[in-house]
Each structure stands twice: as structure tokens, then as C-alpha cells.
Amino acid sequence: MRKLLCICTLVFSNVLVCYGTPTVKNFFEVDSTVTPISNFTSLVPKAQNDSLFIPTGYNYQVVAQRGDVMSDGNTFPPNFDFTGYVPLGGSSTNGYVSINSEYLPGGVSIMDVSFDTNNKRWNTSNATAIDFSPVVGTVANCSGTVTPWNTIITCEEYPSTVDFNNDNYYDTGWAIEIDPVTRTIVNNQKLWALGNFAHENIVVHSNQRTAYQGGDSSPGYLFKFVADAAQNLHSGKLYVYVGSKSGSGNWVLLNNTTINERNATMSQAANLGATSFAGIEDVEISPRDGKVYLAVKGESAVYRFDDSDPLTGTTVTNFETYVGGTGKTYNLDTQSGIINEPWGTGNDNLAFDNEGNLWVLQDGNLAANDENFVWLVDTLHTQLNPSVKIFMRTPAGSEPTGLTFSPDNKFMFMSIQHPSGANNSSTQQDVNNSNITFEKDVSLIIAKNETWGISNCQENINLNAAAIPPGTYQSSDNIQATGQIASPSKVFFNAKSYILLNQGFSVDAGATFLGQIGGCENN
């Protein structure tokens, strides 16, 4: 670690002026590769403020914000949640993005997206609100999934016992399948056979028949559904898990044929002695080991287990805590050294990238200093030999939601839900140089700089303007700067050889200035 060789003088009460030729402590590292997207140094865990923080070497494009007018004249509703990328023909640059609204009355918005390989930016079009009137509306569309046959399943978090359309099915508390091409509800009915409960999430196995899902309630139960036919989730067998959270158990069959039986999913599970979880937020299948993983918010943990056979098996083995647990802390290898950080509460959305790394989106208790990070748990992780890091610090008042990946693993699609309306004291710029204030729901596409066509390193940089604009400045030789970094700007310097702060350089209180020597090469 190099020491700062710079003479600094406080001018007035809010301006720090530095003279001389400094070498600067390594505040962050820069990864020069496009893949894997998981290759970054952990952020330092800090409390939320009005900004979004991701590792150096990454950038994002905003593709939707709450209140934006869609192509059909509707506006994007509040509380963005599941943000599903549906590839068109397996493409990583052409498809659809579906955004849930965890709100009352709820909703789903779908848009066409395509990546322009010339200017290396995403184009959006044909944004449309899904019409739920054929199924008597929808509420609190929380998480969901992209099926192996490229439809969207959206989940209603709030069950009810009302029946306004007199079809004898309860109106809410179901999963709903949507065709993103036609923007219609598949079969014009909800997925009754998946059961009625506080649906938070679902994942469909590659066999196109088995689905795992959990209830976001306490008690919440873990369910397995096996469809009678591939790509048809409207009939099949529904099981509930009965067994240990540290060992083994069984899938016990529920009665699931009549309307009354499907309405009574929760009471049937309770009567069978189903294992109780304090709010199952997400269930996912690892592409690396085939295990099933589930996040339980109220238990601060992500569990995993082996299903003896996704189609015919009725036994579960190796049920265990994979990451987290009450009071668990981990050592993070950050830009500022090793920091021991509580795992915290609020294990929420899960997502696997195609290398098998698990991304955990945190919806924690802010009063308990759970800062709603995006965590990465890499493939080497075990509880005895942990390997976790923080990818994102979210803006004040918000939680990260709905992460999915493009098939080539280069793009992350996600949302920032319900940030504070007071997050308007500073702006950030996305890759389109659009000024963003994180004061309302927003959907982002995140990628490494190289994927956006942004060179990590220029030959050298001279900033002689009176004011230094916000941004990341990276040079394979040197950076020389004279000018003011005004509050609340954020400026990052990274040079291979040296950084020279000339007389006149200043940083206002409330601004962010970070610098690093080394790690920047020509591309």
C-alpha cells in the first residue's frame, strides 16, 4: 500500500486543496475482462445514501422509471420487482423485458429490447401493460420466473378469500403465466394447479414439468409441482415439504384436483405437518450442481437441498444452510482491506449466473443497519470456507429486486424498488449520459465497461478545466488535474503511473473523490 505524498490545506470550511505529486492508496481495483461478470472486488459495506454504487469497471443503462409513459399510453406503475429478460431465439441482444409491480392493484409491463452492436446501447420499444381483466385483475406482483419455453410467470403475493367473478376460485394468491410476444395471459386463467398462498417466486426445471415454489408468509411452506405434460402448468401433482432443515425429508402429496382443494393449499399443508419457514422469498436451481436453493427472509438464510428425482422423487436429502443464518458474519476482501460484515436479514431475490455463482438481493431491516446490498456468493463458497462479496449498495430507502441475466452472462437486468423520494440532492449519469436521481423506481441493465464500448484506459488525461465533471477517469499513463470537484459530484481517478493534483485542485465537502495507482492497462 502506497502512502499519499501530497500536502493538503483546508481552505475556508468546505474546500480541501492538495498540492504536489501524490501516489494514492488502492481504493478500488479494475478488472479488464468482459467475462466473467462476477470478477470484481467487494464494495466496502456502508449505509445507504442517495446514490447507487457498483464496482469500478461496470456501468448501467436506465431503461424504465416509474411514471414513464408506455407505448400504449399507460405509465409504468410503482414498486418494480421481478425484472425478467426473455431472450428471442436464445439471443443475448434481442428479446423482451418484463417488469412486475408489487403494488395494489399490481401489474406487469413488458417491452421489446434490442442491443445495438454499433453504438453498444439498448433500444426499447412497444412497452405495454398486460391486461389482467380476463382473470379479474391482479395484486402485488412480486417475483416470478422466465420459463424454459420463454414465457413469464408472475406471482401474486397477497392471497384473498374473495370471489368477485363467482367462479369459486379465490381471486388472488396465484401464479399467472404470460406470453411476452402476444402480451396475453396463457389460457386466460391463473395457474390454479400451483396452489393458493402468498406466492413470492417460482422456478421451473429444465425438464419443463417440475416447478419449485414457496410461500412468503409465516408459516410459509415449500412446494414442488410436477405437471402432467411439458410446458403446461395447469394440471399436475402438488407436494409440500415435510422434514428437517438440516438433514432429510419428504415430499407429501396434497389433494389438488377440485376448486376447494386448490383454494385450501395452506390448510392442507398445515394439517400434514409441513415444515414451517419464516417467509420463503425465492427458490432457484443451480446450473452447476442441480441443487434447489431457497431464500428465507425471516431466518436470514439461504438453504439448499437435493431432490431425489425432480419428476418422480418423493425424498429430499442434504437439506442445509448454504449461506447466512442468524448472527452470521463474513470477512469481505474490499478495496479498503478485510472487513467483517454481518450477513444481515432480508434474504430475498436469488439469481444464478451461468457459471453457478449465486447472487442474493437483500431486503433487510434498515433500522438494524441491514443496508440492502446485492451480494455474490461464488462457487467456492462453503460455510466453513466462505467466499462472499458485495456487488451493489442501493440508494436510501430502496431494495434491489428481480435480477436476471442474458444467456451470454454479459448483461444483468434488475430494478431498484421504492427508493426515497428525498434522493434528489445529487445526480448520477448512466452510459447514455442521462442524469439520474434515484428517487423513484427504476429498471437497469448492468454490464462491464467493455461491453458498453467504454475503454477502461486512455493514454493520458489532463483535466485543466475550472470544474471537473463527475465520472471515472482511467489512464494507462498519468492523470493531471486542476479544478474543482463540486458537491455532490463523484469523481474517480485510476492511473497506471501517477496522479498529479496541481495547484487549484479542490474537493468540496459532500463530493466523492477516490484514486488508485496501478491496475490500468491499454485495451
Side-chain angles (χ1 to χ4, degrees):
M1 184 179 294
R2 300 177 176 90
K3 295 182 179 179
L4 181 65
L5 304 178
C6 181
I7 299 173
C8 298
T9 304
L10 189 65
V11 180
F12 304 110
S13 62
N14 63 340
V15 178
L16 185 68
V17 181
C18 298
Y19 310 97
T21 304
T23 54
V24 185
K25 173 184 175 181
N26 288 343
F27 283 97
F28 49 76
E29 295 181 0
V30 178
D31 177 64
S32 61
T33 65
V34 175
T35 55
I37 201 168
S38 59
N39 190 356
F40 61 90
T41 298
S42 178
L43 296 183
V44 174
K46 292 183 179 179
Q48 290 182 325
N49 60 27
D50 62 2
S51 299
L52 176 79
F53 293 89
I54 56 178
T56 300
Y58 295 75
N59 216 318
Y60 59 86
Q61 180 179 345
V62 171
V63 291
Q65 291 181 288
R66 186 195 74 216
D68 285 352
V69 178
M70 292 188 278
S71 304
D72 60 3
N74 290 294
T75 59
F76 282 97
N79 286 20
F80 291 2
D81 205 296
F82 180 66
T83 309
Y85 175 72
V86 184
L88 187 58
S91 173
S92 293
T93 57
N94 194 21
Y96 310 96
V97 169
S98 178
I99 305 172
N100 278 1
S101 175
E102 188 186 5
Y103 198 69
L104 297 175
V108 175
S109 309
I110 298 181
M111 64 180 118
D112 299 353
V113 295
S114 61
F115 186 68
D116 188 326
T117 55
N118 292 320
N119 68 14
K120 297 188 183 301
R121 299 293 183 270
W122 286 87
N123 298 317
T124 64
S125 62
N126 194 27
T128 308
I130 300 302
D131 178 12
F132 286 94
S133 61
V135 292
V136 202
T138 190
V139 299
N141 300 90
C142 195
S143 195
T145 197
V146 178
T147 68
W149 54 94
N150 289 331
T151 59
I152 288 287
I153 295 180
T154 184
C155 295
E156 297 177 330
E157 187 175 358
Y158 298 161
S160 69
T161 57
V162 299
D163 177 24
F164 286 120
N165 67 340
N166 297 314
D167 65 354
N168 294 319
Y169 280 110
Y170 294 156
D171 286 342
T172 63
W174 308 96
I176 307 168
E177 186 177 8
I178 299 168
D179 183 341
V181 179
T182 63
R183 309 294 210 267
T184 58
I185 297 168
V186 175
N187 288 349
N188 276 334
Q189 61 182 233
K190 298 185 180 182
L191 296 171
W192 318 119
L194 294 180
N196 183 265
F197 51 89
H199 278 269
E200 178 84 10
N201 180 268
I202 184 172
V203 63
V204 181
H205 194 277
S206 59
N207 64 27
Q208 303 191 20
R209 289 179 56 195
T210 305
Y212 301 94
Q213 51 187 343
D216 184 17
S217 56
S218 189
Y221 304 120
L222 176 65
F223 299 96
K224 170 183 170 179
F225 176 80
V226 180
D228 295 330
Q231 300 186 19
N232 184 346
L233 303 178
H234 290 276
S235 66
K237 295 181 174 66
L238 184 64
Y239 301 85
V240 67
Y241 178 68
V242 180
S244 173
K245 297 178 186 178
S246 178
S248 61
N250 296 284
W251 295 114
V252 179
L253 187 66
L254 298 175
N255 296 319
N256 192 44
T257 303
T258 69
I259 294 177
N260 287 339
E261 289 169 348
R262 292 171 173 179
N263 284 340
T265 305
M266 289 294 288
S267 60
Q268 284 195 67
N271 291 337
L272 289 170
T275 303
S276 174
F277 296 88
I280 300 176
E281 294 286 334
D282 202 346
V283 186
E284 298 292 342
I285 302 170
S286 169
R288 188 178 183 90
D289 59 26
K291 292 177 182 285
V292 182
Y293 292 67
L294 62 149
V296 182
K297 179 182 288 186
E299 298 173 24
S300 307
V302 176
Y303 297 97
R304 68 177 180 179
F305 62 87
D306 290 305
D307 190 351
S308 58
D309 187 293
L311 286 174
T312 62
T314 58
T315 59
V316 165
T317 57
N318 302 316
F319 209 114
E320 63 180 349
T321 300
Y322 174 61
V323 65
T326 302
K328 188 69 176 177
T329 65
Y330 294 106
N331 287 330
L332 306 180
D333 188 2
T334 76
Q335 309 101 318
S336 298
I338 303 296
I339 296 176
N340 187 261
E341 175 71 8
W343 176 252
T345 62
N347 297 255
D348 203 320
N349 292 167
L350 302 176
F352 280 101
D353 59 31
N354 58 20
E355 297 172 345
N357 300 297
L358 179 63
W359 301 69
V360 182
L361 283 63
Q362 183 182 12
D363 176 17
N365 180 0
L366 295 179
N369 295 318
D370 293 326
E371 306 302 348
N372 290 359
F373 302 133
V374 174
W375 297 78
L376 181 126
V377 185
D378 73 27
T379 57
L380 299 177
H381 171 83
T382 66
Q383 287 287 63
L384 292 178
N385 295 288
S387 186
V388 305
K389 51 189 176 180
I390 295 173
F391 177 79
M392 177 182 289
R393 300 200 308 261
T394 54
S398 73
E399 60 172 294
T401 56
L403 179 63
T404 55
F405 291 89
S406 59
D408 63 8
N409 223 41
K410 290 183 179 179
F411 296 102
M412 306 165 61
F413 301 81
M414 64 171 294
S415 293
I416 303 296
Q417 186 183 111
H418 58 60
S420 169
N423 292 346
N424 55 12
S425 60
S426 67
T427 61
Q428 293 176 268
Q429 290 188 328
D430 73 353
V431 291
N432 285 329
N433 297 318
S434 299
N435 290 325
I436 308 299
T437 55
F438 286 95
E439 56 185 325
K440 55 186 175 181
D441 298 274
V442 59
S443 287
L444 312 169
I445 303 176
I446 304 171
K448 292 214 166 193
N449 283 345
E450 294 83 353
T451 305
W452 298 117
I454 301 172
S455 174
N456 275 345
C457 300
Q458 302 176 47
E459 185 175 350
N460 56 67
I461 300 174
N462 292 298
L463 300 169
N464 296 317
I468 299 175
T472 300
Y473 301 88
Q474 301 190 81
S475 171
S476 59
D477 190 4
N478 69 83
I479 299 176
Q480 299 188 43
T482 301
Q484 179 191 28
I485 302 176
S487 175
S489 297
K490 298 174 177 63
V491 175
F492 305 88
F493 288 173
N494 178 217
K496 180 181 178 183
S497 300
Y498 65 89
I499 297 171
L500 178 61
L501 305 180
N502 296 308
Q503 185 169 351
F505 178 86
S506 63
V507 181
D508 283 3
T512 299
F513 171 60
L514 298 176
Q516 174 192 325
I517 301 298
C520 192
E521 306 292 341
N522 277 320
N523 293 324

